Amino acid sequence: MTMSSDDKSSVKSSNLDDLIDNLISDEELERYIAEQNDGLTHEEREKIKRENRINAINQWCAENPGRDPTRAKDKTIKQLALDEEAEVRLEEFRRDNPEKAAENRRRAENRSKYRKDRQTYNEQLPRDYLHQDSYETRLKKAEALNGCRFKTRTFKSKRFTDQYAAELESPNRGSTLEGHWVENDGKQLAISWFGGWSNLFTALGFFFETLAFMVFLFHVYALIANGFEYFWIMASIYVTLFGLGYFTLKHRAILAHRDNFYFNRHTGLVKTPHTLFRKPFYLPYEDIVCYGANQRNVGSARGGSRVFVSLMVPLKYPKHYRFTKPTFYVGGSNRDWDSLAYATAMTFMDTSIPLGTHLYQSIEHYFKIDKDITEKHGFPEELKPYLDPVDCQVNREAVW
């Protein structure tokens, strides 16, 4: 039984209606229409497009020997060369990282699946849990949590003069968590203090390990000089020091949660890190500023290894901080990443916009282990409807 042209057109029309009824993404709809028009699959069409691109680049190279097409004055050729360069890098990445490439494909397929369920994908959930209070109200809440009123400070420094911007150019700037040096569970975002308890435990761990190594060398010398007379005494000292060092290094992360700034999107307050001698305090996020040094690196007092750091400065602090005004070194990588981390935190606290997609991976990680950012409590209940319980992936258009 053959189909007439009218029947074929009606089948195509019904298929298109089905796609529209399922409310797939615009990209998929355009792909479907293109396949119906030229009879080619998306892969075949991309293959032809790439062959034409390579031929155009090769022709330009033949006419301009020894020149780099990515630096061509012809904007069309330059863009074609950049596109091909990006395609080659993508192929190399997929070849060298098959597991990561498979994970990226899986995530892309999941996103396509979520978009097809448009009712869930676009559903607007209540946002009552986000902070709505004025600055003055949040300031009073912070004073109640701290148990005293605030002092206001001005900050001046000869080195730290580069004040970072408080907002991202776009809330979705960037694509990976690693580029921002922040972690978040959707409710709280953490920025690490460059110091504190975890660093102290790391230093102690290395000290014990070094001391154990020195005792081991002395033990070897004693065995050579005196035989086995002090064997068990020296061995017990060595084993004890080595055990202390290993235990300290292995479990130093237990106190890592005490060394973070916590930006709470649901309260509009920031909790400062624990210092070695002072407990943390709360303040509105508007009273946190971040500075970079006006030189490339900030060296140690002894002139040893040099590392770039930034300075997180609370403009208000409790009155019971009697002697010194609190400042915290943060970052430790470079100016751009430190600035981006601070801008991400400030944008995170802006409840007028949804969370940027570059924060999704961190949210999904904590959802998967069912922990909050401190890993002391469960994942925030308010955020669970935004994630797929099977894929542990954000399944909505906007996470508030």
Side-chain angles (χ1 to χ4, degrees):
M1 180 178 179
T2 59
M3 297 178 62
S4 65
S5 59
D6 292 338
D7 293 333
K8 291 181 180 179
S9 63
S10 64
V11 169
K12 287 184 179 180
S13 177
S14 64
N15 290 339
L16 184 59
D17 290 340
D18 290 339
L19 289 173
I20 295 175
D21 289 339
N22 290 330
L23 293 174
I24 63 173
S25 67
D26 294 339
E27 182 182 351
E28 291 171 329
L29 185 58
E30 290 175 5
R31 181 184 300 180
Y32 174 82
I33 294 173
E35 290 177 358
Q36 297 303 314
N37 290 337
D38 58 20
L40 299 175
T41 64
H42 174 69
E43 289 74 16
E44 292 171 339
R45 194 180 303 102
E46 288 297 316
K47 182 179 180 181
I48 294 173
K49 186 188 298 184
R50 187 176 185 188
E51 290 175 352
N52 293 336
R53 181 169 66 220
I54 293 174
N55 291 335
I57 294 172
N58 289 339
Q59 182 178 351
W60 185 90
C61 290
E63 296 172 355
N64 302 271
R67 294 184 59 187
D68 184 359
T70 60
R71 298 176 179 271
K73 293 183 179 180
D74 188 334
K75 293 183 179 180
T76 302
I77 292 297
K78 181 178 180 179
Q79 188 59 52
L80 290 175
L82 292 173
D83 291 344
E84 181 60 25
E85 193 177 75
E87 187 70 24
V88 170
R89 285 200 302 267
L90 184 60
E91 288 180 346
E92 292 176 350
F93 173 81
R94 288 170 175 169
R95 183 187 66 243
D96 299 337
N97 304 274
E99 294 181 358
K100 183 64 176 177
E103 174 66 14
N104 290 340
R105 284 194 296 271
R106 184 188 71 83
R107 293 178 63 84
E109 291 171 357
N110 284 343
R111 285 194 295 268
S112 178
K113 178 178 67 175
Y114 302 148
R115 285 195 297 269
K116 289 178 181 179
D117 184 7
R118 188 58 62 94
Q119 182 177 356
T120 299
Y121 189 66
N122 283 337
E123 183 182 2
Q124 294 292 316
L125 297 176
R127 294 183 287 151
D128 299 338
Y129 50 84
L130 297 179
H131 71 85
Q132 305 292 337
D133 294 331
S134 65
Y135 168 80
E136 291 74 16
T137 302
R138 286 183 283 116
L139 186 66
K140 291 179 180 179
K141 287 184 177 180
E143 289 177 342
L145 290 170
N146 298 332
C148 68
R149 298 182 66 83
F150 279 110
K151 287 183 179 180
T152 302
R153 65 176 297 185
T154 56
F155 176 76
K156 293 182 180 180
S157 172
K158 294 182 179 180
R159 289 191 300 176
F160 293 93
T161 59
D162 180 17
Q163 184 173 352
Y164 296 148
E167 295 181 358
L168 291 174
E169 296 176 2
S170 165
N172 288 329
R173 180 181 174 187
S175 59
T176 62
L177 171 67
E178 291 76 15
H180 294 263
W181 291 90
V182 297
E183 295 180 348
N184 86 106
D185 58 11
K187 178 180 179 179
Q188 295 188 92
L189 179 144
I191 295 181
S192 297
W193 173 33
F194 196 63
W197 289 95
S198 56
N199 279 3
L200 175 63
F201 270 56
T202 301
L204 286 175
F206 280 114
F207 171 75
F208 286 133
E209 292 293 291
T210 303
L211 196 58
F213 180 71
M214 294 174 63
V215 170
F216 174 76
L217 293 180
F218 183 76
H219 189 191
V220 173
Y221 172 78
L223 288 176
I224 295 174
N226 302 315
F228 289 89
E229 183 177 357
Y230 302 104
F231 176 79
W232 293 111
I233 297 176
M234 299 300 294
S236 62
I237 296 174
Y238 166 72
V239 171
T240 301
L241 290 174
F242 179 82
L244 280 173
Y246 178 79
F247 179 84
T248 305
L249 289 174
K250 183 177 177 61
H251 296 283
R252 68 186 186 276
I254 293 177
L255 297 177
H257 69 279
R258 300 169 66 91
D259 298 331
N260 292 331
F261 281 91
Y262 289 109
F263 293 80
N264 194 317
R265 186 173 166 88
H266 294 186
T267 64
L269 300 178
V270 181
K271 181 181 178 182
T272 64
H274 289 73
T275 64
L276 297 180
F277 305 106
R278 288 176 173 152
K279 65 180 182 180
F281 62 93
Y282 297 84
L283 74 163
Y285 74 93
E286 293 92 339
D287 289 321
I288 287 280
V289 294
C290 194
Y291 288 87
N294 59 5
Q295 56 185 7
R296 182 60 185 170
N297 297 316
V298 177
S300 64
R302 296 184 178 181
S305 61
R306 300 170 67 84
V307 60
F308 180 86
V309 292
S310 299
L311 206 63
M312 197 80 81
V313 182
L315 297 181
K316 285 185 171 61
Y317 62 98
K319 285 189 174 181
H320 59 67
Y321 273 48
R322 300 184 185 281
F323 299 108
T324 59
K325 300 175 182 179
T327 55
F328 302 86
Y329 288 99
V330 295
S333 299
N334 61 59
R335 185 190 304 272
D336 291 337
W337 282 352
D338 291 353
S339 174
L340 192 55
Y342 174 70
T344 300
M346 293 293 103
T347 306
F348 177 85
M349 299 296 282
D350 185 353
T351 58
S352 66
I353 58 175
L355 298 181
T357 56
H358 56 288
L359 300 176
Y360 285 5
Q361 290 185 31
S362 181
I363 296 174
E364 292 161 2
H365 165 72
Y366 287 104
F367 178 71
K368 187 179 295 184
I369 65 174
D370 194 22
K371 297 288 185 181
D372 69 348
I373 189 71
T374 65
E375 298 191 13
K376 300 296 181 181
H377 310 285
F379 186 81
E381 291 292 332
E382 303 91 337
L383 273 294
K384 288 184 177 180
Y386 292 98
L387 295 104
D388 186 275
V390 177
D391 302 322
C392 296
Q393 187 172 329
V394 173
N395 63 353
R396 295 180 184 271
E397 183 178 22
V399 176
W400 293 98

